[in-house]
Amino acid sequence: MSTPRLRTRGGTAPAVLMVIGSCTALQFGAGLAVQLFPEIGAAGVTTLRLGFAAVLLLLVTRPKVRTWTKQQWLAVVAFGLSLAGMNGLFYEAIARIPLGPAVAIEFLGPLGLAAVLSRKLRDFAWIGLALAGVAMLGLDDVGGSLDPVGVAFVLGAGFFWALYILASEHVGSLLDGAGGLAMALVIGTLAIMPFGAPGAVEGLTDTHFFMLALGVGMLSSVIPYGLELSALRLLPKAVFGVLLALEPVIAALAGWLLLDQGFGMVSALAVALVVIAGAGSAITASRSASTITPPEDTPDEVTASVHA
């Protein structure tokens, strides 16, 4: 059996609110980012978001990079490239398709990874349910059909999200604390910079754009990371995973409130199927893992989400 975490009395309810707050900050940050796209571009916003998060986390963690081995550096580089791909492609996607459907489609990445790793029929059933939901998104009667280029971008983001999960776990097994994540954010910023440098420079030199971009970085990276890190210490991973599955719903709400993106009944049902699939996958994965003792030195800090 896995080693239980210590939990304080009454700690579960605040932790649930932390995860919901994290998902809300993340998706409302994405909604804010969309408003910056016409001014500095999706790649420019991605560069600033990752860059702000990298600077803040470096100041907090101060990783001792001089002591890292070649293996540790390679793991961090892979982690950083997965961050760049996941965030960059997701922002390109939501510049073209509504936020709610984008997050729902992106969930195919981690769900597919869970199915491939487990090789159990029930996990393939969950991704089948999610695929049914994603297929329904093209039938919505509000806003017309989805831009195929945007869909392609978000499928790519889902692929990199799966790589991000694998890379973050690998870094967590090699490095203590969040120093690996801090340097991965630096590498991710450098990787996306050739595409986003002109927009990022404009964002840094214009006070209004700078403040908006800083808000995106805080809402999309810093606040979710802090809230999820705290919640992971109090919640079972199954509960944490189920709560994260609510992200497509919160994304749809953010798109409606911030971007006036319509959401029909068909899309609502489609997103509900994706949420059910995500929650079911988290529960079954937790049950499968309950017979395996996890390494005690694998930090939860690195696996806290800084996803798109």
Side-chain angles (χ1 to χ4, degrees), residues 73-154:
W73 269 112
L74 288 174
V76 170
V77 168
F79 191 17
L81 294 178
S82 68
L83 272 169
M86 177 178 64
N87 287 278
L89 291 176
F90 181 76
Y91 274 13
E92 292 291 347
I94 62 175
R96 295 167 173 83
I97 62 176
L99 185 56
V103 174
I105 296 171
E106 191 190 22
F107 256 77
L108 292 177
L111 288 175
L113 176 64
V116 170
L117 292 180
S118 72
R119 299 179 183 177
K120 293 182 179 179
L121 182 60
R122 63 188 181 189
D123 291 295
F124 284 100
W126 292 128
I127 193 173
L129 183 64
L131 281 170
V134 168
M136 290 176 63
L137 288 172
L139 303 176
D140 192 12
D141 56 355
V142 176
S145 59
L146 297 177
D147 182 342
V149 176
V151 172
F153 273 128
V154 83

Side-chain angles (χ1 to χ4, degrees), residues 72 74-83 86 110 113 160-182 184 225 228 232 237 240 297-307:
Q72 290 170 326
L74 288 174
V76 170
V77 168
F79 191 17
L81 294 178
S82 68
L83 272 169
M86 177 178 64
L113 176 64
F160 275 100
W161 190 357
L163 294 183
Y164 160 84
I165 293 170
L166 294 174
S168 66
E169 291 179 351
H170 187 43
V171 169
S173 68
L174 295 174
L175 292 168
D176 293 330
L181 174 60
Y225 171 76
E228 289 184 10
L232 275 166
K237 287 188 176 180
F240 183 81
D297 58 348
T298 300
D300 285 331
E301 285 87 341
V302 179
T303 57
S305 297
V306 189
H307 50 79

Side-chain angles (χ1 to χ4, degrees), residues 201-260:
V201 170
E202 185 175 355
L204 290 172
T205 54
D206 184 286
T207 304
H208 178 64
F209 295 161
F210 176 84
M211 295 306 296
L212 285 176
L214 181 60
V216 171
M218 293 295 294
L219 287 172
S220 298
S221 295
V222 178
I223 292 175
Y225 171 76
L227 290 174
E228 289 184 10
L229 176 57
S230 299
L232 275 166
R233 292 169 175 161
L234 299 170
L235 286 176
K237 287 188 176 180
V239 177
F240 183 81
V242 169
L243 291 170
L244 284 185
L246 294 173
E247 281 195 13
V249 175
I250 298 173
L253 180 62
W256 176 56
L257 291 175
L258 296 181
L259 306 172
D260 196 27

Side-chain angles (χ1 to χ4, degrees), residues 267-282:
S267 280
L269 179 57
V271 167
L273 292 179
V274 175
V275 169
I276 293 170
S281 178

